[in-house]
Amino acid sequence: IEAVRAAITKAGPVAPLVYIPVSAVLASIFVPGPLLAAGSGLLFGPVLGTLVTLCSAAATATLAAFLGRRAGRDSARALVGAEWAGRIDGQIEQRGLWAVVGQRFVPGISDAMASYVFGAFGMPLWQMAIGAFIGSAPRAFVYTALGATISDLSSPLAYAAVAVWCVTAVIGAWAAHRGYRR
């Protein structure tokens, strides 16, 4: 682990700048985000790694939404019908940013898949980027911190990461249940 970190240190500030788009492309083709975030923590440590992970999450969301819009907007609208498409457009207009933020809290939903769907239904790219950046913050910290502490999972940082993950999962499950009931 120290040899890998030493190599990254030698690369200087270009390493995180290269990692962000590479990670975004990999995540948009469904490489699991937690693995990429843990890699960021392993390579860059918990603080810089979290920032790199958040930038990558925003880039992934923007890329996937763009591709979803280009590939599936007409098909998605035809699939749900004109009435539902109009409702979805209204919801995006009123709550689009917060829908992205909320989706990031719900456990078990692929962020890349959700971004493709949001894009297919016309979510503005700025809302995708900002919503992903905000909504991904807790999980970015969790997985990046776990990656940074991979050699010492009994460290206080690892315990803090697990606690944040548990709280975020409970909040996300509660919000999903509440949204479903509405």
Side-chain angles (χ1 to χ4, degrees):
I1 293 173
E2 294 308 318
V4 171
R5 286 184 178 159
I8 292 299
T9 302
K10 286 180 187 176
V14 75
L17 295 176
V18 169
Y19 191 86
I20 291 168
V22 169
S23 178
V25 169
L26 289 173
S28 68
I29 59 170
F30 302 106
V31 171
L35 292 178
L36 297 168
S40 178
L42 175 73
L43 297 174
F44 307 115
V47 177
L48 179 58
T50 299
L51 181 60
V52 167
T53 299
L54 285 172
C55 291
S56 176
T60 300
T62 305
L63 176 62
F66 174 78
L67 294 173
R69 178 178 296 161
R70 300 287 295 166
R73 180 144 171 82
D74 294 335
S75 299
R77 297 178 76 67
L79 182 66
V80 298
E83 181 182 340
W84 274 98
R87 287 182 183 180
I88 291 169
D89 288 341
Q91 289 296 321
I92 287 172
E93 208 172 289
Q94 291 177 348
R95 297 180 193 91
L97 174 70
W98 298 112
V100 176
V101 171
Q103 177 275 314
R104 296 297 195 253
F105 275 79
V106 179
I109 296 177
S110 165
D111 292 344
M113 181 60 75
S115 296
Y116 280 110
V117 171
F118 280 134
F121 283 107
M123 180 76 68
L125 296 180
W126 71 269
Q127 289 183 357
M128 287 301 304
I130 293 171
F133 192 88
I134 294 168
S136 297
R139 284 194 292 166
F141 164 73
V142 167
Y143 295 121
T144 304
L146 290 174
T149 60
I150 195 75
S151 61
D152 183 17
L153 291 177
S154 62
S155 72
L157 183 59
Y159 285 119
V162 170
V164 169
W165 184 86
C166 290
V167 169
T168 303
V170 169
I171 291 170
W174 174 79
H177 175 72
R178 184 171 176 227
Y180 176 76
R181 302 277 290 165
R182 281 188 181 175

